[in-house]
Amino acid sequence: MKRSTHPRPHAKAVLPAAMVTLGLVLTACGQDDPDPTAQETSAPATAKVQDPLVMTYDGGLSIIDSTTLKVVQNIPLEGFNRVNPAGNDRHVMVSTSTGFRVLDAAGAQLTKDEFTAPEPGHVVHHAGKTVLFSDGTGKVTTFDPRRLGDGLPEASNHTTQHPHHGVAIELTNGSLLVTLGTEEERTGAQILDKNRKETARNEECPGVHGEATAKDEAVLIGCENGALLYKDGEFTKVKAPDEYGRIGNQAGHEESPIVLGDYKTDPDAELERPERVSLIDTRTGDLKLVDLGTSYTFRSLGRGPHGEALVLGTDGALHVIDPERGEVTEKIKIMDKWREPLEWQQPRPTLHVRDHTAYVTDPDAKTLYAVDIESGEVKTKAQLPQTPNELTST
């Protein structure tokens, strides 16, 4: 049987031409077409949107007011683009075909500033630093996101031995956790001190993918047979209960010792639709599985303001899990049932959490919801002019 090409939420930023529909006619929501001369800038701009959301669609980006959910600005940008928080209250990193481009989301402007990177991949913010990983070169770029806004900030760089679909995170003491692998195989991770000398290594993590940071700066990365935990200067293998138990996407909370992850068990599936999620206690290394009774996707995981584990199910509900008890405590119905598309690049409902609000997209209905996590109330919903794909915020 065919081996799965599992969805990779930070894989290559470019689709084959046959998979991307370009040249869409853009329509702004209740406004004139944006002035193209105002969409690109190298200089800092005044704030136009407070606490903006950024949404991708086929052919561009939308800047959305997070309170009203109204589209403030559409910015045309061809190709399959991805978005991640830059690590400050103003900017978002946009992964394009050529690198990581800086979007001034608060100013509703796409700047010309770009960290050049073939196959731009993961963007990780932790301990006041933002780290970019270029899958095409293995180059790791670290910078202070507070310095964004007037050209590119000064950055430090490290290049892995081999290019691969990887991830890196800089820790509080200046050391760097970075994955190990080649274009054909990914095996584990290493720790480099602030002088970039190796101090720890573990290669018991086949198919290493994704990362999350938990309380006390415990870092977890996913494997095809469990996970790899780095804590107190040492790696520990967390074994899956199944021979193939893939964890590839994680959601951590820096006040919770428990990391939420996905969990797949069929290496030969064209597309596995799992119904269990994993909870890994970084204090003990214990892994617990929780059966949701519904499937979910790699864009379904999030954490609430108090460390709640959140999963957006294909049943149209937001499942709230108590991570300590490993039990679903609430199901918040938001939308109709939906089915995950075969291609990971295709739009599917997406969960993005900021503070006490869960923002959820429904591509089929072109609708965006703002849900109060604690009350379970849908505070606001709005129709979108385009079909939403990815969603993030400052």
Side-chain angles (χ1 to χ4, degrees):
M1 288 185 286
K2 181 180 178 182
R3 186 171 178 82
S4 172
T5 55
H6 302 283
R8 304 193 310 179
H10 292 279
K12 293 184 179 181
V14 187
L15 278 174
M19 297 175 64
V20 183
T21 303
L22 303 178
L24 292 183
V25 177
L26 305 177
T27 56
C29 184
Q31 64 180 32
D32 295 333
D33 290 340
D35 177 3
T37 63
Q39 290 168 13
E40 295 190 1
T41 179
S42 295
T46 57
K48 185 176 182 178
V49 192
Q50 294 296 322
D51 302 321
L53 300 171
V54 178
M55 181 193 84
T56 68
Y57 60 89
D58 188 0
L61 309 168
S62 290
I63 311 297
I64 299 172
D65 184 303
S66 63
T67 301
T68 64
L69 304 188
K70 298 293 186 182
V71 175
V72 176
Q73 184 89 335
N74 283 322
I75 300 174
L77 187 63
E78 291 187 349
F80 180 71
N81 304 296
R82 317 208 64 193
V83 287
N84 287 280
N88 62 23
D89 62 0
R90 187 177 187 97
H91 298 95
V92 162
M93 304 306 298
V94 183
S95 299
T96 71
S97 60
T98 56
F100 299 95
R101 196 154 170 195
V102 181
L103 171 69
D104 179 359
Q109 294 180 323
L110 182 63
T111 77
K112 297 178 181 179
D113 299 331
E114 182 180 66
F115 293 93
T116 302
E119 301 176 26
H122 283 269
V123 178
V124 177
H125 176 71
H126 175 71
K129 295 294 179 65
T130 299
V131 182
L132 314 175
F133 195 100
S134 169
D135 293 350
T137 62
K139 183 180 179 180
V140 177
T141 302
T142 304
F143 63 91
D144 183 342
R146 295 173 300 179
R147 304 298 181 187
L148 289 170
D150 187 13
L152 291 179
E154 182 179 351
S156 62
N157 298 295
H158 167 77
T159 302
T160 60
Q161 184 177 2
H162 303 288
H164 63 282
H165 179 57
V167 64
I169 175 172
E170 184 164 301
L171 303 179
T172 304
N173 64 3
S175 61
L176 187 72
L177 185 153
V178 60
T179 52
L180 296 165
T182 66
E183 292 181 354
E184 291 76 33
E185 182 182 31
R186 304 190 302 277
T187 57
Q190 64 181 161
I191 297 293
L192 306 175
D193 66 17
K194 59 184 179 181
N195 296 316
R196 299 305 179 244
K197 301 296 184 183
E198 183 178 296
T199 61
R201 170 185 290 243
N202 186 295
E203 295 191 60
E204 300 178 74
C205 188
V208 59
H209 188 274
E211 60 73 40
T213 306
K215 188 176 181 180
D216 297 326
E217 207 171 41
V219 182
L220 193 82
I221 58 176
C223 317
E224 291 180 350
N225 57 3
L228 205 56
L229 171 63
Y230 180 75
K231 182 181 177 183
D232 299 329
E234 296 182 349
F235 282 108
T236 302
K237 177 67 181 184
V238 178
K239 293 183 179 179
D242 299 277
E243 181 178 355
Y244 181 89
R246 182 182 187 269
I247 298 171
N249 303 281
Q250 309 86 17
H253 189 286
E254 297 199 353
E255 295 180 9
S256 171
I258 298 173
V259 173
L260 168 68
D262 57 0
Y263 191 75
K264 294 185 175 183
T265 58
D266 186 355
D268 299 311
E270 181 179 15
L271 174 64
E272 183 175 356
R273 295 183 169 92
E275 296 191 357
R276 293 182 296 172
V277 293
S278 59
L279 294 171
I280 295 178
D281 192 328
T282 61
R283 296 166 297 191
T284 62
D286 292 337
L287 186 156
K288 180 184 294 185
L289 298 176
V290 180
D291 193 337
L292 300 177
T294 187
S295 63
Y296 59 92
T297 80
F298 68 89
R299 291 192 189 148
S300 292
L301 307 181
R303 301 301 292 266
H306 307 295
E308 308 95 318
L310 306 174
V311 185
L312 180 63
T314 57
D315 59 353
L318 183 65
H319 298 247
V320 183
I321 303 171
D322 182 324
E324 292 283 354
R325 290 159 46 197
E327 297 176 359
V328 177
T329 59
E330 188 177 4
K331 296 180 183 179
I332 304 171
K333 185 66 175 179
I334 300 175
M335 66 181 79
D336 292 336
K337 292 181 180 180
W338 52 280
R339 184 172 175 81
E340 179 181 5
L342 286 175
E343 296 293 341
W344 71 266
Q345 299 95 335
Q346 295 302 307
R348 80 277 317 281
T350 296
L351 170 67
H352 176 72
V353 180
R354 184 168 63 190
D355 297 329
H356 293 255
T357 303
Y359 296 95
V360 176
T361 63
D362 181 352
D364 289 341
K366 292 185 180 179
T367 302
L368 175 62
Y369 298 87
V371 181
D372 184 286
I373 296 169
E374 291 172 304
S375 70
E377 176 188 1
V378 176
K379 299 189 299 181
T380 314
K381 73 173 183 178
Q383 288 294 119
L384 299 168
Q386 289 89 14
T387 300
N389 199 336
E390 293 199 341
L391 184 71
T392 194
S393 65
T394 54

